[in-house]
Amino acid sequence: MTMSPVDAVVRDPTSVIAAIESRFSCRAFLRDKPVPRQQIDEILRIASCAASSTNTQPWKVYVLQGDRRDALVEKVCAAHDATRADPSSAAEYGEVADYYPSEWVSPYIDRRRHNGWGLYGALGIGKGEKDKMHAQTQRNYRLFDAPVGLMFTMDRVMGRGSLIDYGMFLQTLMLAARALGLHTCPQAAWNNYAKIVTPLIGAGPEEMLVCGMALGYADESAPVNAYRTPREPVESFTRWV
């Protein structure tokens, strides 16, 4: 007999908390350790339990492995190199939607800078080392060597609230991956090259790219995976009214 969600008991809440607290943006994966399809299916099944307003479930997921993964990586990396060689060509691409604010203000710009320089510090990249910075940015487009790339789209007709639903879906997916011993890295960087990504994955013109995600087993020996972003204390963002 299937237990009702109302009656269900979380018998090991520490495991739930551990999945949340151990999630981080993994930036080095084991390329030669594939993820079985049944595990990916299970992660997506669990993620489908995420809440969405009026049960709209606006998410669409494209899974890339093997040759299709590699084809996407090579095409976007080539475009990334081309835009560096000729910055004016960047106008050909660009984001399909405003992911970041048009003007950065404190405290958000401060956190962003702290994160950027903290990450570069962990990688031994100093200010002004543009070649290294370019190579590290391109690691995004190489999926940090993860064997699985996930691309997420949504129908353009949907409203802004569906992006809130999407965020809950993505977080649920990442926690499901942790429960199965895998790691992830959600990536907004792919949005810059949506014009390349969406046709290659077979997304229709009615779909917009929301983000990408790397999925796989973490390279525990990589120094970058020891980097952790700080979190604001609860009292800094909470008001008891």
Side-chain angles (χ1 to χ4, degrees):
M1 183 176 66
T2 303
M3 181 179 293
S4 164
V6 177
D7 300 327
V9 177
V10 178
R11 299 194 181 280
D12 186 7
T14 58
S15 292
V16 178
I17 295 170
I20 296 170
E21 294 185 336
S22 66
R23 187 217 62 81
F24 71 100
S25 293
C26 180
R27 291 183 173 88
F29 292 85
L30 298 174
R31 176 69 194 279
D32 58 354
K33 189 173 181 180
V35 181
R37 177 166 179 165
Q38 59 267 31
Q39 277 199 314
I40 302 173
D41 281 337
E42 179 66 358
I43 289 169
L44 293 172
R45 184 194 67 78
I46 296 168
S48 74
C49 296
S52 63
S53 179
T54 65
N55 198 35
T56 49
Q57 304 176 66
W59 38 81
K60 295 183 179 182
V61 186
Y62 296 83
V63 183
L64 295 101
Q65 297 174 282
D67 292 344
R68 296 304 296 272
R69 171 211 178 276
D70 296 346
L72 177 66
V73 165
E74 292 311 312
K75 285 189 176 183
V76 175
C77 284
H80 182 237
D81 285 336
T83 56
R84 188 190 185 197
D86 178 13
S88 66
S89 67
E92 180 182 347
Y93 303 107
E95 295 183 67
V96 293
D98 293 333
Y99 192 94
Y100 294 112
S102 57
E103 180 181 355
W104 286 94
V105 298
S106 186
Y108 312 110
I109 185 61
D110 308 313
R111 295 171 187 164
R112 178 180 171 88
R113 287 171 176 162
H114 185 276
N115 180 62
W117 289 118
L119 177 61
Y120 281 164
L123 292 164
I125 300 174
K127 291 184 178 180
E129 294 187 292
K130 294 184 178 180
D131 289 343
K132 290 183 178 180
M133 291 179 182
H134 178 79
Q136 179 57 31
T137 298
Q138 193 165 106
R139 292 280 294 153
N140 277 282
Y141 306 125
R142 297 191 181 279
L143 290 163
F144 300 110
D145 294 329
V148 181
L150 303 173
M151 294 294 150
F152 303 95
T153 72
M154 182 176 79
D155 283 345
R156 298 176 188 275
V157 70
M158 300 303 286
R160 186 182 304 176
S162 289
L163 291 172
I164 298 174
D165 300 336
Y166 226 121
M168 292 189 283
F169 172 78
L170 295 171
Q171 178 74 350
T172 305
L173 189 158
M174 291 187 285
L175 297 182
R178 288 300 304 121
L180 295 179
L182 293 121
H183 278 282
T184 56
C185 185
Q187 299 171 282
W190 291 96
N191 295 20
N192 293 324
Y193 296 97
K195 285 180 65 174
I196 296 175
V197 175
T198 50
L200 193 145
I201 63 177
E206 74 282 1
E207 296 173 57
M208 62 173 280
L209 185 65
V210 175
C211 69
M213 185 181 292
L215 171 70
Y217 294 94
D219 181 352
E220 296 178 5
S221 67
V224 69
N225 281 341
Y227 176 67
R228 294 292 181 274
T229 53
R231 291 294 186 266
E232 293 296 310
V234 172
E235 57 270 20
S236 74
F237 61 79
T238 305
R239 297 293 180 268
W240 294 86
V241 296

